[in-house]
Amino acid sequence: MEIRLITQNDYQQVADIYNAGWDITNTPHLEEYTAAVIAKMISAGAQFVLATQQATVLGVLEFRRGEAFRAHTLSMGIVISEQARNQGLGKQLINWLKAYAKEHQIIKINLRVLGTNPGAIRFYQRNGFEIEGTLQQQFYLNGQFVDDIFMTFFIN
């Protein structure tokens, strides 16, 4: 397993993982991802770190540094391909980001998770994230109101 930054050759595989991994249970914003969309995200400030095996992308962690008065923070999202889940890839990607944050004087990593995704909430808590706040009934998805949960990891 290799943890590394994205290259242009990876864009389509990342788009494929996003299209397979994001659904109404884990994001309020569904989009059809393509290599061009990934390129546009990068040009707008997104950075990607990948978990790969042989030339196959198995996991993606997207992160962005906060701007101006939030430059000491990172926001992140993570998607692991279905066949690679529960093998420690998410933990490896998060550990990479924690080390990156320390090196770049980041003190806080933020993420948002839907209340309809308790498995993700537990995963983040096992990796040191704490619930910092909840916007109750923030989204109306699939016929129900869904909470938007803010989670944070403080770099020591």
Side-chain angles (χ1 to χ4, degrees), residues 66-73:
E67 297 175 354
F69 297 110
R70 296 180 299 125
H72 61 286
T73 69

Side-chain angles (χ1 to χ4, degrees), residues 69-150:
F69 297 110
R70 296 180 299 125
H72 61 286
T73 69
L74 292 176
S75 59
M76 62 154 281
I78 193 168
V79 181
I80 305 296
S81 65
E82 185 144 359
Q83 73 269 20
R85 291 184 186 155
N86 300 311
Q87 297 177 26
L89 298 182
K91 182 176 184 67
Q92 289 179 50
L93 288 166
I94 286 175
N95 286 341
W96 183 97
L97 188 62
K98 289 174 181 177
Y100 174 93
K102 271 188 177 175
E103 290 175 24
H104 292 86
Q105 292 74 48
I106 301 296
I107 66 164
K108 184 178 179 182
I109 301 171
N110 300 307
L111 62 87
R112 295 167 68 176
V113 61
L114 295 181
T116 52
N117 197 350
I121 295 166
R122 285 189 304 274
F123 166 77
Y124 292 125
Q125 288 173 324
R126 283 193 311 270
N127 283 279
F129 286 80
E130 298 177 4
I131 294 175
E132 193 166 47
T134 301
L135 296 176
Q136 296 178 356
Q137 299 181 3
Q138 182 68 9
F139 303 109
Y140 188 75
L141 303 171
N142 224 18
Q144 68 178 357
F145 288 102
V146 178
D147 293 346
D148 189 8
I149 300 171
F150 289 79

Side-chain angles (χ1 to χ4, degrees), residues 44-64:
Q47 298 181 64
F48 293 84
V49 61
L50 312 177
T52 63
Q53 189 166 43
Q54 297 168 340
T56 303
V57 176
L58 299 173
V60 179
L61 187 147
E62 174 190 342
F63 65 101
R64 295 173 189 257

